[in-house]
Amino acid sequence: MPNAKRKKVADKSEILEYLTNVMRSDEVTEKERLAASFKLGRYLGLEGKPLDEPTRVVIYDGKQPDKLP
């Protein structure tokens, strides 16, 4: 993409792609790969959550009162 057409500020998708590429790259240090993975995990809301905790899905059909906190 020519420089004249590039945006001056990266959007969310471009930043996530960059961090993913760094995390998967063999050309950067392990420290850089870990930093990228921590940033992605923080963005995805995985920080501080146990990995074995299942995701809770609630389907609300409108027939019963909402019981969520």
Side-chain angles (χ1 to χ4, degrees):
M1 180 182 300
N3 286 338
K5 291 187 177 185
R6 285 190 80 140
K7 297 180 229 173
K8 289 185 179 183
V9 178
D11 61 10
K12 184 179 2 178
S13 175
E14 185 177 356
I15 293 168
L16 293 174
E17 287 177 27
Y18 172 79
L19 288 172
T20 300
N21 287 336
V22 171
M23 186 184 76
R24 294 178 177 167
S25 175
D26 291 330
E27 298 176 8
V28 296
T29 66
E30 185 73 17
K31 183 178 179 179
E32 292 168 316
R33 293 173 67 193
L34 281 171
S37 69
F38 277 112
K39 289 175 184 179
L40 282 168
R42 188 178 312 128
Y43 174 79
L44 295 172
L46 301 174
E47 190 174 46
K49 288 187 178 179
L51 296 179
D52 59 350
E53 181 179 303
T55 302
R56 182 176 171 195
V57 177
V58 178
I59 300 173
Y60 179 69
D61 60 7
K63 295 179 183 178
Q64 297 178 359
D66 187 2
K67 296 180 182 177
L68 292 177

Short mmCIF file of all heavy atoms in Angstrom, two decimals:
data_model
loop_
_atom_site.label_atom_id
_atom_site.label_comp_id
_atom_site.label_asym_id
_atom_site.label_seq_id
_atom_site.Cartn_x
_atom_site.Cartn_y
_atom_site.Cartn_z
N MET A 1 0.84 -1.17 0.00
CA MET A 1 0.00 0.00 0.00
C MET A 1 0.90 1.24 0.00
O MET A 1 1.80 1.36 0.81
CB MET A 1 -0.88 -0.02 1.25
CG MET A 1 -1.79 1.16 1.36
SD MET A 1 -2.82 1.18 2.86
CE MET A 1 -3.72 -0.31 2.71
N PRO A 2 0.66 2.16 -0.90
CA PRO A 2 1.48 3.37 -0.95
C PRO A 2 1.36 4.16 0.36
O PRO A 2 0.32 4.17 1.01
CB PRO A 2 0.89 4.17 -2.10
CG PRO A 2 0.08 3.20 -2.89
CD PRO A 2 -0.32 2.11 -1.97
N ASN A 3 2.46 4.83 0.72
CA ASN A 3 2.48 5.58 1.97
C ASN A 3 1.43 6.68 2.01
O ASN A 3 0.92 7.01 3.07
CB ASN A 3 3.86 6.19 2.22
CG ASN A 3 4.86 5.13 2.63
OD1 ASN A 3 4.48 4.08 3.12
ND2 ASN A 3 6.13 5.40 2.43
N ALA A 4 1.09 7.27 0.87
CA ALA A 4 0.11 8.35 0.84
C ALA A 4 -1.28 7.84 1.24
O ALA A 4 -2.09 8.59 1.79
CB ALA A 4 0.05 8.97 -0.55
N LYS A 5 -1.58 6.57 0.98
CA LYS A 5 -2.90 6.03 1.29
C LYS A 5 -2.96 5.39 2.68
O LYS A 5 -4.04 5.05 3.14
CB LYS A 5 -3.30 5.00 0.24
CG LYS A 5 -3.57 5.63 -1.11
CD LYS A 5 -4.13 4.61 -2.06
CE LYS A 5 -4.46 5.27 -3.38
NZ LYS A 5 -5.11 4.35 -4.29
N ARG A 6 -1.85 5.19 3.33
CA ARG A 6 -1.85 4.57 4.67
C ARG A 6 -2.43 5.53 5.69
O ARG A 6 -2.21 6.73 5.64
CB ARG A 6 -0.43 4.21 5.08
CG ARG A 6 0.07 2.99 4.36
CD ARG A 6 1.33 2.56 4.99
NE ARG A 6 1.00 1.81 6.20
CZ ARG A 6 1.64 0.73 6.57
NH1 ARG A 6 2.63 0.29 5.87
NH2 ARG A 6 1.30 0.10 7.65
N LYS A 7 -3.15 4.96 6.64
CA LYS A 7 -3.68 5.76 7.73
C LYS A 7 -2.54 6.15 8.66
O LYS A 7 -1.59 5.40 8.81
CB LYS A 7 -4.72 4.97 8.51
CG LYS A 7 -5.92 4.58 7.72
CD LYS A 7 -6.87 3.80 8.63
CE LYS A 7 -7.28 2.55 7.93
NZ LYS A 7 -8.06 1.66 8.75
N LYS A 8 -2.66 7.28 9.30
CA LYS A 8 -1.63 7.72 10.23
C LYS A 8 -1.69 6.94 11.54
O LYS A 8 -0.69 6.79 12.22
CB LYS A 8 -1.77 9.21 10.51
CG LYS A 8 -1.38 10.07 9.33
CD LYS A 8 -1.41 11.53 9.69
CE LYS A 8 -0.99 12.36 8.50
NZ LYS A 8 -0.93 13.79 8.83
N VAL A 9 -2.87 6.45 11.91
CA VAL A 9 -3.04 5.72 13.17
C VAL A 9 -3.57 4.32 12.85
O VAL A 9 -4.52 4.17 12.10
CB VAL A 9 -4.04 6.46 14.09
CG1 VAL A 9 -4.26 5.69 15.37
CG2 VAL A 9 -3.54 7.86 14.40
N ALA A 10 -2.93 3.32 13.44
CA ALA A 10 -3.36 1.94 13.22
C ALA A 10 -4.71 1.70 13.89
O ALA A 10 -4.96 2.19 14.99
CB ALA A 10 -2.32 0.98 13.79
N ASP A 11 -5.56 0.93 13.23
CA ASP A 11 -6.84 0.59 13.84
C ASP A 11 -6.68 -0.68 14.69
O ASP A 11 -5.62 -1.29 14.74
CB ASP A 11 -7.94 0.42 12.80
CG ASP A 11 -7.67 -0.69 11.79
OD1 ASP A 11 -6.72 -1.47 11.98
OD2 ASP A 11 -8.42 -0.78 10.82
N LYS A 12 -7.74 -1.04 15.39
CA LYS A 12 -7.71 -2.17 16.31
C LYS A 12 -7.30 -3.46 15.61
O LYS A 12 -6.48 -4.23 16.13
CB LYS A 12 -9.09 -2.33 16.94
CG LYS A 12 -9.18 -3.40 17.98
CD LYS A 12 -10.52 -3.58 18.65
CE LYS A 12 -11.64 -2.73 18.21
NZ LYS A 12 -12.91 -3.00 18.89
N SER A 13 -7.84 -3.70 14.44
CA SER A 13 -7.54 -4.93 13.70
C SER A 13 -6.05 -5.02 13.35
O SER A 13 -5.43 -6.07 13.49
CB SER A 13 -8.40 -4.99 12.45
OG SER A 13 -8.05 -6.09 11.67
N GLU A 14 -5.48 -3.91 12.91
CA GLU A 14 -4.07 -3.90 12.54
C GLU A 14 -3.17 -4.15 13.75
O GLU A 14 -2.18 -4.88 13.66
CB GLU A 14 -3.71 -2.55 11.91
CG GLU A 14 -2.30 -2.49 11.37
CD GLU A 14 -1.99 -1.18 10.69
OE1 GLU A 14 -2.88 -0.32 10.55
OE2 GLU A 14 -0.82 -1.00 10.29
N ILE A 15 -3.53 -3.59 14.89
CA ILE A 15 -2.75 -3.80 16.11
C ILE A 15 -2.83 -5.25 16.55
O ILE A 15 -1.81 -5.86 16.90
CB ILE A 15 -3.23 -2.85 17.23
CG1 ILE A 15 -2.91 -1.41 16.85
CG2 ILE A 15 -2.60 -3.21 18.56
CD1 ILE A 15 -3.58 -0.38 17.71
N LEU A 16 -4.03 -5.84 16.51
CA LEU A 16 -4.18 -7.25 16.89
C LEU A 16 -3.42 -8.16 15.95
O LEU A 16 -2.80 -9.15 16.38
CB LEU A 16 -5.66 -7.61 16.94
CG LEU A 16 -6.48 -6.93 18.03
CD1 LEU A 16 -7.95 -7.27 17.89
CD2 LEU A 16 -5.97 -7.30 19.41
N GLU A 17 -3.45 -7.87 14.65
CA GLU A 17 -2.69 -8.66 13.68
C GLU A 17 -1.20 -8.57 13.96
O GLU A 17 -0.48 -9.57 13.92
CB GLU A 17 -2.98 -8.19 12.26
CG GLU A 17 -4.34 -8.58 11.76
CD GLU A 17 -4.63 -8.03 10.37
OE1 GLU A 17 -3.67 -7.80 9.59
OE2 GLU A 17 -5.81 -7.84 10.06
N TYR A 18 -0.72 -7.36 14.27
CA TYR A 18 0.70 -7.17 14.55
C TYR A 18 1.12 -7.97 15.78
O TYR A 18 2.13 -8.69 15.75
CB TYR A 18 1.00 -5.67 14.76
CG TYR A 18 2.41 -5.44 15.24
CD1 TYR A 18 3.48 -5.48 14.35
CD2 TYR A 18 2.68 -5.22 16.58
CE1 TYR A 18 4.77 -5.29 14.78
CE2 TYR A 18 3.97 -5.04 17.03
CZ TYR A 18 5.02 -5.07 16.13
OH TYR A 18 6.30 -4.90 16.56
N LEU A 19 0.35 -7.84 16.87
CA LEU A 19 0.70 -8.57 18.09
C LEU A 19 0.66 -10.08 17.87
O LEU A 19 1.51 -10.82 18.38
CB LEU A 19 -0.26 -8.18 19.23
CG LEU A 19 -0.06 -6.78 19.79
CD1 LEU A 19 -1.18 -6.44 20.76
CD2 LEU A 19 1.30 -6.63 20.44
N THR A 20 -0.30 -10.56 17.08
CA THR A 20 -0.37 -11.98 16.76
C THR A 20 0.86 -12.42 15.97
O THR A 20 1.44 -13.48 16.24
CB THR A 20 -1.66 -12.30 15.98
OG1 THR A 20 -2.78 -11.94 16.79
CG2 THR A 20 -1.73 -13.78 15.63
N ASN A 21 1.25 -11.62 15.00
CA ASN A 21 2.44 -11.95 14.20
C ASN A 21 3.70 -11.99 15.06
O ASN A 21 4.54 -12.87 14.90
CB ASN A 21 2.62 -10.95 13.06
CG ASN A 21 1.61 -11.16 11.96
OD1 ASN A 21 1.06 -12.24 11.79
ND2 ASN A 21 1.31 -10.11 11.23
N VAL A 22 3.84 -11.04 15.99
CA VAL A 22 5.00 -11.03 16.89
C VAL A 22 4.97 -12.28 17.77
O VAL A 22 5.99 -12.95 17.94
CB VAL A 22 5.01 -9.75 17.76
CG1 VAL A 22 6.07 -9.85 18.86
CG2 VAL A 22 5.26 -8.53 16.90
N MET A 23 3.81 -12.62 18.31
CA MET A 23 3.68 -13.77 19.19
C MET A 23 4.07 -15.06 18.47
O MET A 23 4.68 -15.95 19.06
CB MET A 23 2.25 -13.87 19.70
CG MET A 23 2.02 -14.95 20.72
SD MET A 23 0.30 -15.10 21.20
CE MET A 23 -0.37 -15.95 19.78
N ARG A 24 3.76 -15.17 17.20
CA ARG A 24 4.03 -16.40 16.44
C ARG A 24 5.39 -16.42 15.74
O ARG A 24 5.79 -17.44 15.20
CB ARG A 24 2.94 -16.59 15.39
CG ARG A 24 1.59 -16.86 16.01
CD ARG A 24 0.53 -17.01 14.97
NE ARG A 24 -0.76 -17.33 15.56
CZ ARG A 24 -1.90 -17.29 14.93
NH1 ARG A 24 -1.94 -16.93 13.66
NH2 ARG A 24 -3.01 -17.59 15.54
N SER A 25 6.08 -15.30 15.76
CA SER A 25 7.33 -15.18 15.02
C SER A 25 8.49 -15.90 15.70
O SER A 25 8.62 -15.88 16.93
CB SER A 25 7.69 -13.70 14.86
OG SER A 25 8.94 -13.56 14.25
N ASP A 26 9.34 -16.51 14.90
CA ASP A 26 10.57 -17.11 15.41
C ASP A 26 11.74 -16.14 15.30
O ASP A 26 12.84 -16.45 15.71
CB ASP A 26 10.90 -18.38 14.62
CG ASP A 26 9.91 -19.49 14.89
OD1 ASP A 26 9.35 -19.53 16.00
OD2 ASP A 26 9.68 -20.32 13.98
N GLU A 27 11.49 -14.95 14.75
CA GLU A 27 12.55 -13.98 14.51
C GLU A 27 12.72 -12.97 15.63
O GLU A 27 13.60 -12.12 15.57
CB GLU A 27 12.28 -13.25 13.19
CG GLU A 27 12.27 -14.20 12.00
CD GLU A 27 11.90 -13.50 10.71
OE1 GLU A 27 11.80 -12.27 10.69
OE2 GLU A 27 11.71 -14.21 9.71
N VAL A 28 11.88 -13.04 16.65
CA VAL A 28 12.00 -12.12 17.79
C VAL A 28 12.34 -12.93 19.04
O VAL A 28 12.20 -14.16 19.05
CB VAL A 28 10.70 -11.30 18.01
CG1 VAL A 28 10.42 -10.40 16.83
CG2 VAL A 28 9.52 -12.20 18.28
N THR A 29 12.73 -12.24 20.09
CA THR A 29 13.11 -12.94 21.32
C THR A 29 11.88 -13.51 22.02
O THR A 29 10.75 -13.06 21.79
CB THR A 29 13.83 -11.98 22.29
OG1 THR A 29 12.91 -10.98 22.72
CG2 THR A 29 15.03 -11.33 21.63
N GLU A 30 12.14 -14.46 22.90
CA GLU A 30 11.07 -15.06 23.69
C GLU A 30 10.39 -14.00 24.55
O GLU A 30 9.17 -14.02 24.73
CB GLU A 30 11.64 -16.18 24.57
CG GLU A 30 10.62 -16.94 25.35
CD GLU A 30 9.77 -17.87 24.49
OE1 GLU A 30 10.15 -18.18 23.36
OE2 GLU A 30 8.71 -18.28 24.98
N LYS A 31 11.17 -13.06 25.05
CA LYS A 31 10.62 -11.98 25.87
C LYS A 31 9.61 -11.14 25.08
O LYS A 31 8.54 -10.79 25.59
CB LYS A 31 11.76 -11.09 26.37
CG LYS A 31 11.34 -9.99 27.29
CD LYS A 31 12.54 -9.20 27.79
CE LYS A 31 12.10 -8.08 28.71
NZ LYS A 31 13.24 -7.32 29.22
N GLU A 32 9.93 -10.83 23.83
CA GLU A 32 9.02 -10.05 22.98
C GLU A 32 7.76 -10.85 22.65
O GLU A 32 6.66 -10.29 22.61
CB GLU A 32 9.73 -9.62 21.70
CG GLU A 32 10.84 -8.61 21.93
CD GLU A 32 11.72 -8.41 20.71
OE1 GLU A 32 12.11 -9.41 20.07
OE2 GLU A 32 12.01 -7.24 20.40
N ARG A 33 7.92 -12.14 22.42
CA ARG A 33 6.77 -12.99 22.13
C ARG A 33 5.83 -13.08 23.33
O ARG A 33 4.61 -13.01 23.20
CB ARG A 33 7.23 -14.39 21.71
CG ARG A 33 7.97 -14.37 20.37
CD ARG A 33 8.56 -15.70 20.04
NE ARG A 33 7.49 -16.66 19.80
CZ ARG A 33 7.67 -17.96 19.72
NH1 ARG A 33 8.87 -18.48 19.87
NH2 ARG A 33 6.66 -18.77 19.49
N LEU A 34 6.41 -13.24 24.53
CA LEU A 34 5.60 -13.28 25.75
C LEU A 34 4.87 -11.95 25.99
O LEU A 34 3.70 -11.94 26.37
CB LEU A 34 6.47 -13.62 26.95
CG LEU A 34 6.83 -15.08 27.11
CD1 LEU A 34 7.86 -15.25 28.22
CD2 LEU A 34 5.60 -15.92 27.39
N ALA A 35 5.56 -10.85 25.74
CA ALA A 35 4.93 -9.54 25.93
C ALA A 35 3.74 -9.38 24.99
O ALA A 35 2.67 -8.90 25.40
CB ALA A 35 5.95 -8.43 25.69
N ALA A 36 3.90 -9.80 23.75
CA ALA A 36 2.79 -9.72 22.79
C ALA A 36 1.64 -10.62 23.21
O ALA A 36 0.47 -10.22 23.13
CB ALA A 36 3.28 -10.10 21.38
N SER A 37 1.95 -11.82 23.70
CA SER A 37 0.87 -12.73 24.12
C SER A 37 0.14 -12.19 25.34
O SER A 37 -1.08 -12.31 25.44
CB SER A 37 1.41 -14.13 24.38
OG SER A 37 2.22 -14.16 25.53
N PHE A 38 0.86 -11.56 26.29
CA PHE A 38 0.20 -10.96 27.45
C PHE A 38 -0.71 -9.81 27.04
O PHE A 38 -1.82 -9.67 27.55
CB PHE A 38 1.23 -10.47 28.47
CG PHE A 38 1.74 -11.55 29.37
CD1 PHE A 38 3.05 -11.97 29.29
CD2 PHE A 38 0.92 -12.15 30.30
CE1 PHE A 38 3.53 -12.97 30.11
CE2 PHE A 38 1.39 -13.15 31.13
CZ PHE A 38 2.69 -13.57 31.03
N LYS A 39 -0.27 -9.01 26.08
CA LYS A 39 -1.10 -7.89 25.61
C LYS A 39 -2.36 -8.40 24.91
O LYS A 39 -3.44 -7.85 25.11
CB LYS A 39 -0.30 -6.98 24.70
CG LYS A 39 0.75 -6.19 25.44
CD LYS A 39 1.63 -5.38 24.53
CE LYS A 39 2.71 -4.70 25.34
NZ LYS A 39 3.62 -3.93 24.53
N LEU A 40 -2.22 -9.45 24.12
CA LEU A 40 -3.39 -10.03 23.47
C LEU A 40 -4.34 -10.63 24.50
O LEU A 40 -5.55 -10.46 24.41
CB LEU A 40 -2.97 -11.12 22.47
CG LEU A 40 -2.45 -10.63 21.14
CD1 LEU A 40 -1.80 -11.78 20.37
CD2 LEU A 40 -3.56 -10.01 20.33
N GLY A 41 -3.79 -11.33 25.48
CA GLY A 41 -4.61 -11.92 26.53
C GLY A 41 -5.36 -10.87 27.32
O GLY A 41 -6.53 -11.03 27.66
N ARG A 42 -4.70 -9.76 27.62
CA ARG A 42 -5.35 -8.67 28.35
C ARG A 42 -6.48 -8.10 27.52
O ARG A 42 -7.58 -7.86 28.02
CB ARG A 42 -4.33 -7.59 28.68
CG ARG A 42 -4.89 -6.53 29.60
CD ARG A 42 -3.88 -5.46 29.99
NE ARG A 42 -2.61 -6.02 30.42
CZ ARG A 42 -1.43 -5.64 29.91
NH1 ARG A 42 -1.36 -4.71 28.99
NH2 ARG A 42 -0.32 -6.17 30.35
N TYR A 43 -6.24 -7.90 26.22
CA TYR A 43 -7.28 -7.37 25.34
C TYR A 43 -8.49 -8.32 25.28
O TYR A 43 -9.63 -7.88 25.29
CB TYR A 43 -6.73 -7.14 23.94
CG TYR A 43 -7.80 -6.74 22.96
CD1 TYR A 43 -8.28 -5.44 22.92
CD2 TYR A 43 -8.36 -7.68 22.11
CE1 TYR A 43 -9.28 -5.08 22.05
CE2 TYR A 43 -9.37 -7.33 21.24
CZ TYR A 43 -9.83 -6.03 21.22
OH TYR A 43 -10.83 -5.68 20.35
N LEU A 44 -8.22 -9.62 25.23
CA LEU A 44 -9.29 -10.61 25.13
C LEU A 44 -9.96 -10.91 26.47
O LEU A 44 -10.90 -11.71 26.53
CB LEU A 44 -8.74 -11.91 24.52
CG LEU A 44 -8.26 -11.78 23.08
CD1 LEU A 44 -7.56 -13.06 22.64
CD2 LEU A 44 -9.41 -11.46 22.15
N GLY A 45 -9.48 -10.29 27.55
CA GLY A 45 -10.09 -10.48 28.85
C GLY A 45 -9.71 -11.78 29.53
O GLY A 45 -10.43 -12.26 30.39
N LEU A 46 -8.58 -12.34 29.15
CA LEU A 46 -8.15 -13.62 29.72
C LEU A 46 -7.29 -13.44 30.96
O LEU A 46 -7.04 -14.41 31.67
CB LEU A 46 -7.37 -14.42 28.68
CG LEU A 46 -8.11 -14.75 27.39
CD1 LEU A 46 -7.18 -15.42 26.40
CD2 LEU A 46 -9.30 -15.63 27.69
N GLU A 47 -6.86 -12.24 31.23
CA GLU A 47 -5.96 -11.98 32.34
C GLU A 47 -6.65 -12.27 33.68
O GLU A 47 -7.73 -11.76 33.96
CB GLU A 47 -5.51 -10.53 32.30
CG GLU A 47 -4.39 -10.19 33.23
CD GLU A 47 -3.89 -8.78 33.03
OE1 GLU A 47 -4.71 -7.86 32.93
OE2 GLU A 47 -2.68 -8.62 32.98
N GLY A 48 -6.03 -13.13 34.47
CA GLY A 48 -6.55 -13.44 35.79
C GLY A 48 -7.64 -14.49 35.82
O GLY A 48 -8.14 -14.82 36.88
N LYS A 49 -8.03 -15.04 34.68
CA LYS A 49 -9.06 -16.07 34.65
C LYS A 49 -8.40 -17.45 34.55
O LYS A 49 -7.45 -17.62 33.81
CB LYS A 49 -9.98 -15.89 33.44
CG LYS A 49 -10.90 -14.72 33.54
CD LYS A 49 -11.87 -14.74 32.39
CE LYS A 49 -12.84 -13.60 32.48
NZ LYS A 49 -13.76 -13.58 31.35
N PRO A 50 -8.93 -18.42 35.27
CA PRO A 50 -8.41 -19.77 35.11
C PRO A 50 -8.71 -20.29 33.70
O PRO A 50 -9.77 -20.01 33.15
CB PRO A 50 -9.17 -20.60 36.14
CG PRO A 50 -10.01 -19.66 36.92
CD PRO A 50 -9.97 -18.32 36.27
N LEU A 51 -7.77 -21.01 33.13
CA LEU A 51 -7.96 -21.50 31.76
C LEU A 51 -8.99 -22.60 31.66
O LEU A 51 -9.54 -22.83 30.59
CB LEU A 51 -6.62 -21.97 31.19
CG LEU A 51 -5.56 -20.88 31.03
CD1 LEU A 51 -4.28 -21.48 30.48
CD2 LEU A 51 -6.05 -19.78 30.11
N ASP A 52 -9.26 -23.30 32.76
CA ASP A 52 -10.21 -24.40 32.69
C ASP A 52 -11.64 -23.98 33.01
O ASP A 52 -12.54 -24.79 33.01
CB ASP A 52 -9.78 -25.54 33.62
CG ASP A 52 -9.68 -25.09 35.07
OD1 ASP A 52 -9.76 -23.88 35.34
OD2 ASP A 52 -9.50 -25.97 35.93
N GLU A 53 -11.86 -22.69 33.26
CA GLU A 53 -13.20 -22.21 33.57
C GLU A 53 -14.02 -22.11 32.28
O GLU A 53 -13.63 -21.42 31.34
CB GLU A 53 -13.12 -20.83 34.23
CG GLU A 53 -14.45 -20.26 34.62
CD GLU A 53 -14.28 -18.91 35.29
OE1 GLU A 53 -13.56 -18.84 36.29
OE2 GLU A 53 -14.85 -17.93 34.79
N PRO A 54 -15.15 -22.81 32.21
CA PRO A 54 -15.95 -22.75 30.98
C PRO A 54 -16.63 -21.40 30.81
O PRO A 54 -16.93 -20.71 31.79
CB PRO A 54 -16.99 -23.85 31.18
CG PRO A 54 -17.10 -24.01 32.65
CD PRO A 54 -15.75 -23.67 33.21
N THR A 55 -16.87 -21.04 29.59
CA THR A 55 -17.58 -19.81 29.28
C THR A 55 -19.07 -20.05 29.50
O THR A 55 -19.62 -21.06 29.06
CB THR A 55 -17.33 -19.40 27.82
OG1 THR A 55 -15.94 -19.24 27.63
CG2 THR A 55 -18.05 -18.11 27.49
N ARG A 56 -19.71 -19.14 30.17
CA ARG A 56 -21.13 -19.28 30.46
C ARG A 56 -21.94 -18.56 29.39
O ARG A 56 -21.72 -17.39 29.11
CB ARG A 56 -21.44 -18.67 31.82
CG ARG A 56 -22.86 -18.82 32.23
CD ARG A 56 -23.08 -18.29 33.62
NE ARG A 56 -24.51 -18.26 33.87
CZ ARG A 56 -25.07 -17.61 34.84
NH1 ARG A 56 -24.33 -16.95 35.68
NH2 ARG A 56 -26.36 -17.62 35.00
N VAL A 57 -22.88 -19.29 28.79
CA VAL A 57 -23.76 -18.73 27.78
C VAL A 57 -25.18 -18.80 28.30
O VAL A 57 -25.65 -19.85 28.73
CB VAL A 57 -23.65 -19.50 26.44
CG1 VAL A 57 -24.63 -18.95 25.42
CG2 VAL A 57 -22.24 -19.47 25.92
N VAL A 58 -25.88 -17.68 28.27
CA VAL A 58 -27.26 -17.62 28.74
C VAL A 58 -28.12 -17.17 27.58
O VAL A 58 -27.86 -16.14 26.96
CB VAL A 58 -27.41 -16.64 29.92
CG1 VAL A 58 -28.86 -16.54 30.36
CG2 VAL A 58 -26.52 -17.06 31.07
N ILE A 59 -29.14 -17.95 27.27
CA ILE A 59 -30.08 -17.60 26.21
C ILE A 59 -31.36 -17.13 26.87
O ILE A 59 -32.00 -17.87 27.61
CB ILE A 59 -30.36 -18.80 25.29
CG1 ILE A 59 -29.04 -19.25 24.64
CG2 ILE A 59 -31.40 -18.42 24.24
CD1 ILE A 59 -29.15 -20.51 23.85
N TYR A 60 -31.70 -15.90 26.63
CA TYR A 60 -32.89 -15.30 27.23
C TYR A 60 -34.01 -15.31 26.20
O TYR A 60 -33.90 -14.69 25.15
CB TYR A 60 -32.59 -13.88 27.69
CG TYR A 60 -33.77 -13.17 28.29
CD1 TYR A 60 -34.30 -13.58 29.51
CD2 TYR A 60 -34.37 -12.11 27.64
CE1 TYR A 60 -35.39 -12.94 30.06
CE2 TYR A 60 -35.44 -11.47 28.18
CZ TYR A 60 -35.96 -11.89 29.40
OH TYR A 60 -37.04 -11.25 29.94
N ASP A 61 -35.09 -16.02 26.50
CA ASP A 61 -36.19 -16.12 25.55
C ASP A 61 -37.34 -15.18 25.86
O ASP A 61 -38.33 -15.11 25.13
CB ASP A 61 -36.71 -17.56 25.48
CG ASP A 61 -37.23 -18.08 26.81
OD1 ASP A 61 -37.32 -17.29 27.77
OD2 ASP A 61 -37.56 -19.27 26.87
N GLY A 62 -37.27 -14.46 26.97
CA GLY A 62 -38.29 -13.49 27.32
C GLY A 62 -39.49 -14.08 28.03
O GLY A 62 -40.40 -13.36 28.43
N LYS A 63 -39.53 -15.39 28.20
CA LYS A 63 -40.67 -16.05 28.85
C LYS A 63 -40.58 -16.01 30.37
O LYS A 63 -41.59 -16.05 31.05
CB LYS A 63 -40.80 -17.50 28.37
CG LYS A 63 -41.13 -17.59 26.89
CD LYS A 63 -41.21 -19.03 26.47
CE LYS A 63 -41.47 -19.12 24.97
NZ LYS A 63 -41.50 -20.51 24.49
N GLN A 64 -39.36 -15.97 30.91
CA GLN A 64 -39.17 -15.94 32.34
C GLN A 64 -38.44 -14.65 32.72
O GLN A 64 -37.73 -14.08 31.89
CB GLN A 64 -38.35 -17.14 32.80
CG GLN A 64 -39.05 -18.46 32.53
CD GLN A 64 -38.20 -19.64 32.95
OE1 GLN A 64 -37.07 -19.48 33.43
NE2 GLN A 64 -38.73 -20.84 32.78
N PRO A 65 -38.59 -14.21 33.98
CA PRO A 65 -37.88 -13.00 34.38
C PRO A 65 -36.37 -13.20 34.30
O PRO A 65 -35.87 -14.32 34.51
CB PRO A 65 -38.31 -12.78 35.83
CG PRO A 65 -39.31 -13.84 36.15
CD PRO A 65 -39.41 -14.77 35.02
N ASP A 66 -35.66 -12.14 34.01
CA ASP A 66 -34.21 -12.17 33.92
C ASP A 66 -33.63 -12.39 35.30
O ASP A 66 -33.91 -11.65 36.22
CB ASP A 66 -33.72 -10.85 33.33
CG ASP A 66 -32.25 -10.86 33.03
OD1 ASP A 66 -31.59 -11.89 33.25
OD2 ASP A 66 -31.74 -9.82 32.59
N LYS A 67 -32.80 -13.46 35.48
CA LYS A 67 -32.23 -13.79 36.78
C LYS A 67 -30.75 -13.50 36.86
O LYS A 67 -30.09 -13.87 37.81
CB LYS A 67 -32.47 -15.28 37.08
CG LYS A 67 -33.93 -15.63 37.21
CD LYS A 67 -34.10 -17.10 37.51
CE LYS A 67 -35.58 -17.43 37.59
NZ LYS A 67 -35.81 -18.85 37.81
N LEU A 68 -30.21 -12.82 35.86
CA LEU A 68 -28.78 -12.51 35.88
C LEU A 68 -28.53 -11.36 36.84
O LEU A 68 -29.34 -10.47 37.00
CB LEU A 68 -28.31 -12.11 34.48
CG LEU A 68 -28.33 -13.22 33.45
CD1 LEU A 68 -27.91 -12.68 32.09
CD2 LEU A 68 -27.39 -14.35 33.86
N PRO A 69 -27.36 -11.38 37.50
CA PRO A 69 -27.01 -10.31 38.45
C PRO A 69 -26.85 -8.98 37.77
O PRO A 69 -26.63 -8.82 36.65
CB PRO A 69 -25.71 -10.78 39.08
CG PRO A 69 -25.21 -11.91 38.26
CD PRO A 69 -26.34 -12.38 37.40
#
